[in-house]
Amino acid sequence: MSDKDQNHHQNHHRPTQAEDDHTSQEENSMNEKPLPETADEQDLYEELHEDEIREIIHEHRGKRKQTVDDSKPRRPFPKWVFWLIAVFMVINLGAALPRIFSIPAIDFLQTSVTLLLDEEMQAYKQSIALVDTGNSKGTGFSVHPEGYVITNHHVIEDREQLWVYMNEKGPYAAEVLHTYEEIDLAVLDLEGDQFPYLEVNQEPEDLTNQPIYFIGNPLRFSGIANEGTVIGKTDAVSIDVEAYMLDAPVYKGNSGSPVITENGQVVGVIYATKEDSEHGRIGLAIPIEALLKQTGDTILPKINEHSDEEQSNRE
């Protein structure tokens, strides 16, 4: 080989500076890791702890379950189920009503509305008291403008409190003035004065077959008026005197209701009911003279006081 050819061969295989730089860049690029294209992809290159991996898996499963649930078609609430529930509720309500109100109980409400159209009956009602003892309620009635109220002993016996409402007013604080357990009666003294009151019959008489009225707070109602007839007297078990037998619709809550004659006088106090072999279910009332034998006329207004009040009412 001539010197010229040797030089040409050497010149042909000698890399240029640019070729050396390009070769170096390719080698460096092969040794470097590829860069991520997105921020999400960057997470794939982070080293995750075991707890973080579990959290990601749990979150992924939750999203997957939610997607499946959302994809399921939701069934509309069947109308027949709604109507079945409605019918069931109506049937249960119908079954419960007789326990609360019997047909006679509904009748006495109609009777009360009719009776209270009478002005005298409306005046009697103003003297009727609702006695609230905290654990039960009963009836009472005023017999003196100073606030003497007669009720049953058993109404107030287990009292937790003693509040009295009268003529849609109250509550009035009250003290127990007298108690007579043997005749199941008590006298309360209300705080205040100028109360309406009922007249008391002080002369015992035979009331057999006489029509009577009574006003009370039966079955959670208040100021319910009703009527009946005195059948006669009977021996009583729970009191020491004979009791009036009443052919009348007496219910729980009527305890303490006054028995009023047609001339407007109180002759007895209702305290119980019983099943009679001859007359069926009847009401029982304590004759008012049994109380007056204990108290005398001390709980009643004096004759001159009564006359003065009537004179004042006329004016």
Side-chain angles (χ1 to χ4, degrees), residues 46-93:
E46 293 179 357
E47 293 184 1
L48 300 177
H49 296 291
E50 184 179 353
D51 292 342
E52 293 175 325
I53 294 174
R54 290 177 180 175
E55 184 177 352
I56 291 172
I57 294 173
H58 180 73
E59 182 179 356
H60 177 70
R61 287 177 177 175
K63 290 181 178 179
R64 183 177 179 183
K65 182 178 180 181
Q66 181 66 34
T67 303
V68 173
D69 292 341
D70 292 341
S71 64
K72 292 181 180 179
R74 296 183 178 180
R75 296 182 179 180
F77 188 77
K79 292 184 178 180
W80 67 269
V81 175
F82 170 79
W83 287 111
L84 181 63
I85 294 173
V87 171
F88 179 77
M89 293 178 65
V90 170
I91 292 174
N92 277 271
L93 179 61

Side-chain angles (χ1 to χ4, degrees), residues 108 152 154 184 214 218-219 231 234-239 243-257 259 269-277 279-286:
F108 85 60
N152 289 127
H154 76 260
D184 194 17
F214 58 100
L219 301 179
I231 299 172
T234 183
D235 292 331
V237 176
S238 59
I239 60 176
Y244 286 123
M245 296 187 296
L246 308 178
D247 182 11
V250 175
Y251 294 91
K252 184 177 180 180
N254 273 128
S255 291
S257 298
V259 178
V269 184
I270 292 174
Y271 76 100
T273 62
K274 82 167 189 175
E275 289 292 333
D276 184 76
S277 58
H279 302 284
R281 188 174 184 273
I282 61 173
L284 297 175
I286 307 155

Side-chain angles (χ1 to χ4, degrees), residues 127-146:
S127 302
I128 304 303
L130 171 65
V131 182
D132 184 356
T133 63
N135 51 19
S136 65
K137 294 180 180 180
T139 304
F141 58 96
S142 172
V143 294
H144 196 289
E146 295 297 322

Side-chain angles (χ1 to χ4, degrees), residues 35-48 56 63:
L35 295 175
E37 296 180 0
T38 65
D40 292 337
E41 190 179 356
Q42 176 67 36
D43 295 338
L44 300 178
Y45 289 91
E46 293 179 357
E47 293 184 1
L48 300 177
I56 291 172
K63 290 181 178 179

Side-chain angles (χ1 to χ4, degrees), residues 33 48 72 78 86 114 127 149 188 191 246:
K33 295 180 179 180
L48 300 177
K72 292 181 180 179
T114 303
S127 302
V149 170
L188 311 180
E191 187 178 86
L246 308 178

